[in-house]
């Protein structure tokens, strides 16, 4: 049975595709924000991170000068994140 089809049965198509590719290439680091996708990646022993972590790393590596405007843009465009997690992410980026 096609792995992508199986994963798509209970995951968002984006998460299912990312996990299927991650299985094919164990050296990759997946960017997953959906809890179901993260749980599946964890159970398959795949490496993953989230969007906020990517932005924090970009800031720490001096690829971007600040993260707040990116975090705000994410929230404005429907990215669901609690104020507490957002506060921790901003603190981590400084």
């Amino acid at each position: 049975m096609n792995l992508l089809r199986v994963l798509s049965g209970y995951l968002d198509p984006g998460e299912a595709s990312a996990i299927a590719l991650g299985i094919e290439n164990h050296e990759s680091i997946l960017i997953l924000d959906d809890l179901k996708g993260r749980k599946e990646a964890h159970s398959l022993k795949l490496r993953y991170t989230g969007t906020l972590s990517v932005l924090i790393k970009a800031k720490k590596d001096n690829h971007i000068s600040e993260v707040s405007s990116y975090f705000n843009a994410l929230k404005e465009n429907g990215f669901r994140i609690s104020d507490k997690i957002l506060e921790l992410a901003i603190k981590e980026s400084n």
Side-chain angles (χ1 to χ4, degrees), residues 24-73:
E24 290 178 14
N25 180 0
H26 271 303
E27 298 302 313
S28 62
I29 300 174
L30 306 176
I31 301 172
L32 300 169
D33 293 310
D34 181 72
L35 182 59
K36 281 202 276 189
R38 286 172 166 259
K39 285 182 177 182
E40 186 65 27
H42 181 76
S43 73
L44 294 168
K45 296 181 177 33
L46 299 174
R47 297 183 318 157
Y48 61 92
T49 190
T51 301
L52 298 182
S53 293
V54 171
L55 289 169
I56 290 167
K57 178 148 178 49
K59 164 89 169 44
K60 287 182 176 181
D61 291 349
N62 294 313
H63 297 294
I64 58 176
S65 59
E66 55 83 31
V67 294
S68 295
S69 63
Y70 295 98
F71 292 166
N72 290 334

Side-chain angles (χ1 to χ4, degrees), residues 71-89:
F71 292 166
N72 290 334
L74 286 169
K75 282 191 80 165
E76 289 170 9
N77 287 285
F79 190 87
R80 294 184 321 203
I81 181 166
S82 73
D83 289 338
K84 182 171 176 81
I85 296 296
L86 189 57
E87 181 181 317
L88 289 171

Side-chain angles (χ1 to χ4, degrees), residues 4 9 13 26 94:
L4 184 55
H26 271 303
N94 292 328

